[in-house]
Structures are given as C-alpha cells and as structure tokens.
Amino acid sequence: MSKTRLQPTNDFCPQTLYLYGTYDDEGKADFGLFCWFSYLWDEELGVMACIGGSKLTKENIHKRKVFSANLVTEKLLPLADYLGNTPGHNPEKMKLHPEIEAGKVLPVPVLTASPVTYELEVRQFIPLKDGEVMLCRIRSVLQDDLLADGKGSASEKMQAIAPVHTTCRRYFGWDGKDLGAWGEPMRSL
Ligand SMILES: Cc1cc2nc3c(=O)[nH]c(=O)nc-3n(C[C@H](O)[C@H](O)[C@H](O)COP(=O)(O)O)c2cc1C
C-alpha cells in the first residue's frame, strides 16, 4: 500500500467519547466531553486521560482528585456535543440539568442516562507544557443492568447502547453512520 506522509493527526483513528463529571467549589456538577482516554496496567486495570489547556473539568479534578467518566451513546450525543462546545465557566452551561445521581464510592456526579460509568481517582498528575496526563485508579464501574445481567451477546448489547466514535472532527454511530460534525448535534437540543 502506498502511503502519504502527514503532520501529527489522528484522523481515521476512531476514539470513544466520555463525559467527565466533576463538582466545583459550590458543589455544582459540571460535565465536559473528552476523547483522550485510554487504559493502563499497574497491578490492576487503570485509566489514563489527557486534558489540554485550562478548563473547569481540569480545575475541579485538581482540587478533588476524583471524577466520573460516562460513556457517550447516540442517545446522549446532542447533550455531549453541547457539553463539549460550551466552557464550564459559562454560568449558563449546566442550566440544561441532565439527570444525575451520586457515585457509589466517590463524591462524583454520574450521568443517569449513560450505560457505563467509571468512578476515577487520580493517582498521578503528569503536567506537560500545556496539557496534563492523569493516571487514574478505577474505584468502581457502574454498568446498566442491560449490560451487566449477562443475557444476550456482546454484539447485541453494543448495538443496544450504540456508543459514539469520533474522528476527522465528526461523530460516527456504532454502525458507522455519520452523525455530523462537531457542533452540529447540539443544534437539535
Ligand atoms: C468531540 C470532542 C472531544 C473532546 N475531547 C477533549 C479531550 O480529550 N481533551 C480535552 O482537553 N478537551 C477535549 N474537548 C474539549 C472540551 O470538551 C471542552 O473544552 C469543554 O468545554 C470542557 O468543558 P469544561 O470547561 O466544563 O471542563 C473535546 C471536545 C469535543 C467536541
């Protein structure tokens, strides 16, 4: 296969999306959209996440060292797109009031409509020039009963929850359907 050499890009390399939930100083929940999320191994499964620049999610995590990561599905996409394109310092941001519940083991806000949520505790911050990598311990995984009860195949369950992928600044459904450019799905809210 002949290849074209490019500058750094992750186009055509799909990423899974998560909404990170944190609490601010007043105990108000904030959610931001993130895709630089993957796993690590250090005696047990852990998570590594990168946040670039300054944002409310980063400030809140620095103060409390905990956050939730809620899997984004097609049903959640308009909300997720909005939360990824609206800074947390905008006082209007969380006026949409998505349904949230308390984490089971950590003081983090959990999105009720997300079928998989990690409750994460940061073990190590690795500050870079502008971004920051966080190595996290998974303190709990909250799975919708539809997934956790063992009935049905993994394929059927994935089709039922339909996680969203992103690449080329667009969103794609679990079946590969184009769900629009970043900033488009939020217009349906
Ligand atoms: C599809 C998508 C993926 C994103 N992924 C990341 C990411 O992995 N890291 C990051 O620092 N910002 C990411 N962002 C930007 C944040 O979601 C955005 O800055 C958001 O406003 C942060 O919210 P907050 O200010 O409430 O923390 C992403 C935005 C979009 C639309």
Side-chain angles (χ1 to χ4, degrees), residues 57-71:
T57 299
K58 197 183 202 179
E59 291 167 31
N60 289 344
I61 296 175
H62 264 263
K63 288 181 188 157
R64 275 161 272 284
K65 322 268 185 281
V66 294
F67 64 106
S68 67
N70 304 266
L71 181 70

Side-chain angles (χ1 to χ4, degrees), residues 37 47 65-67 69 106 118-122 136-138:
F37 175 106
V47 158
K65 322 268 185 281
V66 294
F67 64 106
L106 293 177
Y118 295 102
E119 293 183 68
L120 299 170
E121 182 173 38
V122 181
C136 309
R137 185 165 166 223
I138 301 174

Side-chain angles (χ1 to χ4, degrees), residues 25-39:
D25 289 335
E26 278 77 51
K28 204 175 117 217
D30 178 69
F31 285 89
L33 180 63
F34 295 87
C35 57
W36 300 332
F37 175 106
S38 193
Y39 300 95

Side-chain angles (χ1 to χ4, degrees), residues 168-185:
C168 305
R169 303 183 72 82
R170 302 191 72 82
Y171 301 108
F172 294 90
W174 184 247
D175 60 359
K177 190 170 61 210
D178 187 338
L179 302 177
W182 292 359
E184 280 180 359

Side-chain angles (χ1 to χ4, degrees), residues 68-99:
S68 67
N70 304 266
L71 181 70
V72 174
T73 62
E74 290 186 33
K75 221 190 298 174
L76 274 168
L77 183 58
L79 174 71
D81 185 45
Y82 165 79
L83 295 169
N85 284 288
T86 313
H89 286 297
N90 175 344
E92 305 290 308
K93 177 169 185 175
M94 292 307 294
K95 293 224 165 125
L96 276 184
H97 295 301
E99 196 182 335

Side-chain angles (χ1 to χ4, degrees), residues 107-152:
V108 291
V110 166
L111 262 189
T112 303
S114 175
V116 182
T117 298
Y118 295 102
E119 293 183 68
L120 299 170
E121 182 173 38
V122 181
R123 293 174 63 178
Q124 201 177 332
F125 290 99
I126 305 175
L128 307 171
K129 280 188 198 140
D130 172 27
E132 184 152 16
V133 174
M134 305 177 301
L135 308 184
C136 309
R137 185 165 166 223
I138 301 174
R139 292 289 308 276
S140 115
V141 181
L142 306 176
Q143 262 185 19
D144 189 301
D145 293 341
L146 170 81
L147 306 176
D149 75 0
K151 289 190 209 100

